[in-house]
Amino acid sequence: MSGVTVGIAPDKASLRSWLPGFLFLAVIWGSSFLFIKIGVRELHPLHVTLARVGIGALTLLVVLAVLRDRLPRDPRLWLHLAVTAAIGTAVPFTLFGYGEQRVSSMLAGIWNATTPLVVLPLAVLVFRTERMTMRRAVGMTLGFVGVLVVLGVWQGVGGAQFTGQMMCLGAAACYGLAIPYQKRFVTDRTESGLALSAGQLLMATAQLAVVTPLVAGAPPAPTSLSLDVVAAILALGALGTGLAFVINMRNIRLAGASTASTVTYLMPVVSVLIGVFLLDEHLAWYQPVGALVVLVGVAYSQGLFRRTTKLDRSPAGTLQPAGVGSEP
């Protein structure tokens, strides 16, 4: 997850100006599950997470320097960034790593799409940044049915695969908690989204630098890793956790927050295609069917099946976790 992005949708936007970046972002975030899968072959999930957030933070610091932007100065804001770094970056990234030791990258990509199902009830009941409507309740119910279909509950649950799926669902739940928290305590700040994202990744790097050696021990020497793993970690950090934030902010500025957030619906498609053609993974028939039900429920709860008018367009921005588009 983990950029904080806010934007106002323009009345008109040139499709050519934002569509290439939108599609590129879907490919980057959708392929992140492939990179995680490759990384955990030789690295502990915590080592994968520490490397990716560290590389991502370094990437954003370079962009900040180029744009002559600066990191936040308010100590209170850094405390909120520490919270979002933990629940929106360090923990979910690690859970996806643990999960992909047990399930396919395709299935992890599908579970990432369930994030909005967690966001809404928390935003309504806990943070009170949204209100519940009949449309949202129906969409949530439909999405929950889709989750049960993905799990294949009629076959019984248990075993390593079920544990892996619960870890991926737990990662999505972390994103769902972090998004309304960000909306409540972070997004009204005057600092740029780039500066907030860089600050969050720096805090996550610091947290993981303390926890990782205690849990996973010292990381292996880079020279002992295969070229595939090194390349996957570099891509996961620089592209999926660094450059992706910059592209996402550009998409929101050009196309509006609502349009940019629909990258969520393309990410599972990308992760499934990559899993099939590059990793030779296989899905049970009910898993993509359940994923489709989840996406329809999310889309319905967000009002994407209604005719959009100027009066219906929300002036408020949305939050992008890694993201929802949730970055994995």
Side-chain angles (χ1 to χ4, degrees), residues 8-130:
I8 297 177
D11 289 336
K12 293 182 180 180
S14 171
L15 195 64
R16 295 178 182 176
S17 67
W18 61 266
L19 185 58
F22 178 88
L23 296 176
F24 187 46
L25 185 63
V27 171
I28 291 176
W29 277 346
S31 62
S32 292
F33 300 100
L34 165 68
F35 299 141
I36 295 172
K37 190 71 173 180
I38 294 173
V40 296
R41 289 175 179 172
E42 300 178 18
L43 289 169
H44 190 283
L46 276 168
H47 288 148
V48 172
T49 303
L50 176 57
R52 71 178 291 190
V53 298
I55 295 170
L58 180 60
T59 302
L60 292 190
L61 288 176
V62 171
V63 176
L64 279 173
V66 171
L67 297 179
R68 297 183 178 180
D69 201 348
R70 66 181 186 180
L71 290 169
R73 302 294 181 90
D74 184 0
R76 189 183 310 175
L77 175 58
W78 280 101
L79 292 177
H80 288 306
L81 290 176
V83 175
T84 58
I87 62 175
T89 302
V91 174
F93 283 9
T94 303
L95 283 174
F96 269 124
Y98 277 113
E100 288 200 48
Q101 289 181 322
R102 298 163 175 81
V103 300
S104 68
S105 65
M106 298 186 296
L107 201 51
I110 288 174
W111 282 113
N112 188 72
T114 64
T115 297
L117 300 180
V118 183
V119 172
L120 184 56
L122 288 174
V124 172
L125 300 175
V126 179
F127 296 100
R128 301 187 183 278
T129 56
E130 304 285 347

Side-chain angles (χ1 to χ4, degrees), residues 213-230:
L214 299 176
V215 177
T223 53
S224 69
L225 301 175
S226 67
L227 183 60
D228 287 348
V229 170
V230 172

Side-chain angles (χ1 to χ4, degrees), residues 246-320:
V246 180
I247 296 174
N248 188 46
M249 284 186 291
R250 180 179 182 274
N251 290 345
I252 288 176
R253 186 175 66 251
L254 293 176
S258 296
T259 299
S261 70
T262 58
V263 72
T264 302
Y265 305 107
L266 290 182
M267 288 168 55
V269 176
V270 173
S271 68
V272 168
L273 291 176
I274 289 176
V276 169
F277 292 106
L278 295 184
L279 295 177
D280 195 28
E281 295 178 338
H282 303 280
L283 287 174
W285 67 266
Y286 53 83
Q287 291 167 340
V289 171
L292 180 60
V293 175
V294 169
L295 292 177
V296 169
V298 171
Y300 184 78
S301 70
Q302 294 179 348
L304 296 186
F305 295 142
R306 296 183 302 169
R307 187 184 298 271
T308 302
T309 67
K310 288 184 178 180
L311 293 177
D312 190 42
R313 189 189 302 272
S314 172
T318 60
L319 296 170
Q320 304 296 332

